[in-house]
Amino acid sequence: MNARAARLNTSPLRRAVVLLAFCIATMPAMADTITATVPAGAGPWTGAVNPVTNKIYVANGSGDTVTVINGATNTATSVVTAYGPRGVAVNTATNRIYVANNVGSVSVLNGDTDAVIVTLPITPAGLLPAIAVNPATNKIYVVRTQDSLVTVIDGATHATVNVPTGTWPQTLAVNPVTNKIYVANASSANVTVIDGATNTTTTVAAGTSPQAVAVNPVTNKIYVPCYSTGVTVIDGDTNVSTNVSAGTAPTSVVVNPVTNRIYIGNALNPYVAVINGATNAVSFVTVTATNSRVLGLNTTTNEIYAATGTSPNNKVTVINGTNNTTSTLTYGTNPYPAAFAVNPVTNKTYVLNGMTNDITVIDAANNTTATVTVGDTPQAVAVNPATDKAYVVNLWGNSVSVITGATNAVSTVPVGLGPYAAAVNPVTNRIYVSNFDDNSVSIINGATNDVTAVNVGTGPLGVAVNPATNRVYVG
């Protein structure tokens, strides 16, 4: 695989879906539309939201950075941590962010400045796939898969304690009400329950190959999808478990504590299982394809979001939690759309169909679509709502296609080598394009399409603009 092909594997398709998952829990009640695509770093893996500061933290697992997104402006900055950040958790009480790095360390960020305060070694080094925080006790819990341990970090002193778990732990969840931590152990078919006050443990049998874990703090029930045997439901008061059949291969789970409904994604079925938390009765909601994954929920609107890992994987199913009816968010017409952007003024969505060198323009006013041909391998798109123009970055064409929104007419602007991302400052009418292969940023004058270039660091990928300060951030 050549360098450019490798970069396509971390295209904004994944970034878009991931960002949607991060933001769902804090979205206000409104129509289901995708409002922006924000560039992240290499291989965005997981993320967390601080609802107090309105910041989103994205761990870029294929690099050594965390992308910090300002939720008010969608501007992004990059913070260097250590190689392979895979998990990220926020303590809203202390405004500290904890990043689990696969080299065997945890980076602690100050949420006020987004600077790394300290990097704590976790020895011996190994896979650290998940991390969680109990804000009530200021304790941080880090899963150590290869060592079959959870490392407990004291948020005030950074002192650590290791707690044994079952075999091959992969994920965990915290109940801040009871101060219990639940660790799903994939290879030993059980859940380790850690008492947060004493760090003593209890083992609860689960089904075969636990995949995830989620807690309902209101009912004190814990839900563990097990790939081959259903969902293990644990009573947090007694640690007695019950098995609930919820599809052929349950792999993901989201709990709505307001409605006491639990949503289970299935790897081999085109549906999401809905468990009634009061009775354990199960109903099924059809989604777009097999390999459904529940991404998150909006407790304000009682909507649940599910994506699929098989074609057509350009859709997110939105489930109405009141009546289990569904609608679909489509972020492209090609099975492998590269990116999308929305013009909120004209209510048009621009979807890059990366494998066919064109863009689909969706007019939400009348639900009509148009296909516009652009350059070679469209990689990213940005919109200037003030001028009604869309800017499409063509990775292998070393160019940007400029689309006039009113007519869909296209002009081509040459930029640097390997252009990867774009950002627009609607105040100055300047468009910034990061060029990976010649270590530069091309600046397009939106009025004339004239281009100037600025040299930056090696291999720039993401670019973001703060129009209020006229600062441009390149990562």
Side-chain angles (χ1 to χ4, degrees):
M1 180 182 292
N2 61 40
R4 288 181 178 176
R7 291 200 300 276
L8 284 174
N9 286 337
T10 57
S11 74
L13 163 62
R14 183 177 180 186
R15 280 171 278 202
V17 176
V18 170
L19 180 58
L20 176 63
F22 299 158
C23 295
I24 283 165
T26 58
M27 287 169 57
M30 60 177 65
D32 294 307
T33 57
I34 296 169
T35 57
T37 299
V38 180
W45 195 264
T46 187
V49 174
N50 188 337
V52 177
T53 63
N54 194 16
K55 289 184 178 181
I56 301 93
Y57 298 86
V58 183
N60 302 309
S62 297
D64 59 358
T65 64
V66 168
T67 299
V68 184
I69 302 170
N70 183 319
T73 64
N74 283 340
T75 54
T77 58
S78 182
V79 179
V80 176
T81 56
Y83 185 76
R86 292 298 177 90
V88 58
V90 173
N91 188 335
T92 54
T94 63
N95 198 16
R96 294 293 185 266
I97 298 86
Y98 298 88
V99 182
N101 306 302
N102 247 7
V103 293
S105 66
V106 171
S107 298
V108 184
L109 279 63
N110 183 331
D112 293 325
T113 64
D114 295 325
V116 176
I117 301 170
V118 65
T119 297
L120 306 173
I122 305 293
T123 56
L127 297 177
L128 306 179
I131 188 169
V133 171
N134 187 340
T137 62
N138 196 17
K139 296 288 179 69
I140 301 90
Y141 299 87
V142 185
V143 172
R144 298 171 57 178
T145 296
Q146 292 162 302
D147 303 317
S148 296
L149 296 171
V150 165
T151 294
V152 184
I153 304 172
D154 187 312
T157 66
H158 296 158
T160 61
V161 175
N162 291 327
V163 178
T165 66
T167 307
W168 209 255
Q170 291 198 84
T171 186
L172 77 170
V174 174
N175 187 337
V177 176
T178 63
N179 195 16
K180 298 286 178 67
I181 300 87
Y182 298 86
V183 185
N185 304 307
S187 295
S188 56
N190 55 31
V191 172
T192 300
V193 184
I194 303 173
D195 186 323
T198 63
N199 287 332
T200 56
T201 63
T202 304
T203 301
V204 179
T208 303
S209 188
Q211 300 289 304
V213 59
V215 171
N216 186 338
V218 175
T219 62
N220 197 17
K221 296 286 180 69
I222 300 87
Y223 298 87
V224 185
C226 301
Y227 190 84
S228 302
T229 52
V231 176
T232 298
V233 182
I234 302 172
D235 185 320
D237 293 327
T238 64
N239 283 335
V240 173
S241 63
T242 303
N243 187 72
V244 176
S245 179
T248 306
T251 56
S252 56
V253 56
V254 168
V255 172
N256 189 338
V258 177
T259 63
N260 196 17
R261 294 296 185 270
I262 300 87
Y263 298 86
I264 308 293
N266 282 272
L268 301 179
N269 301 113
Y271 53 70
V272 168
V274 184
I275 302 175
N276 182 326
T279 64
N280 284 339
V282 180
S283 58
F284 297 93
V285 178
T286 301
V287 293
T288 55
T290 58
N291 195 8
S292 64
R293 293 170 288 117
V294 284
L295 298 174
L297 63 94
N298 185 336
T299 55
T300 302
T301 62
N302 192 17
E303 290 178 323
I304 300 86
Y305 297 78
T308 61
T310 55
S311 181
N313 58 6
N314 61 328
K315 297 180 184 297
V316 171
T317 298
V318 184
I319 303 171
N320 183 323
T322 302
N323 54 25
N324 286 343
T325 58
T326 63
S327 58
T328 302
L329 290 175
T330 301
Y331 51 92
T333 56
N334 188 286
Y336 302 97
F340 59 85
V342 175
N343 187 332
V345 175
T346 63
N347 202 15
K348 290 184 178 180
T349 302
Y350 297 83
V351 184
L352 303 192
N353 304 313
M355 298 179 67
T356 54
N357 296 341
D358 56 30
I359 182 168
T360 299
V361 184
I362 305 171
D363 189 333
N366 51 28
N367 288 327
T368 60
T369 63
T371 301
V372 179
T373 301
V374 291
D376 190 358
T377 316
Q379 166 72 11
V381 59
V383 170
N384 188 340
T387 62
D388 192 18
K389 290 187 177 179
Y391 296 85
V392 180
V393 176
N394 303 308
L395 178 65
W396 290 357
N398 299 325
S399 65
V400 169
S401 297
V402 183
I403 303 173
T404 300
T407 63
N408 286 336
V410 179
S411 57
T412 301
V413 178
V415 290
L417 301 179
Y420 196 81
V424 172
N425 188 334
V427 176
T428 63
N429 196 13
R430 296 295 187 270
I431 301 85
Y432 299 87
V433 182
S434 59
N435 302 306
F436 183 89
D437 288 339
D438 65 6
N439 307 325
S440 70
V441 169
S442 296
I443 305 172
I444 303 173
N445 182 325
T448 65
N449 285 342
D450 292 336
V451 180
T452 57
V454 176
N455 293 325
V456 294
T458 303
L461 290 172
V463 59
V465 174
N466 185 337
T469 62
N470 197 19
R471 296 289 178 86
V472 183
Y473 302 88
V474 183

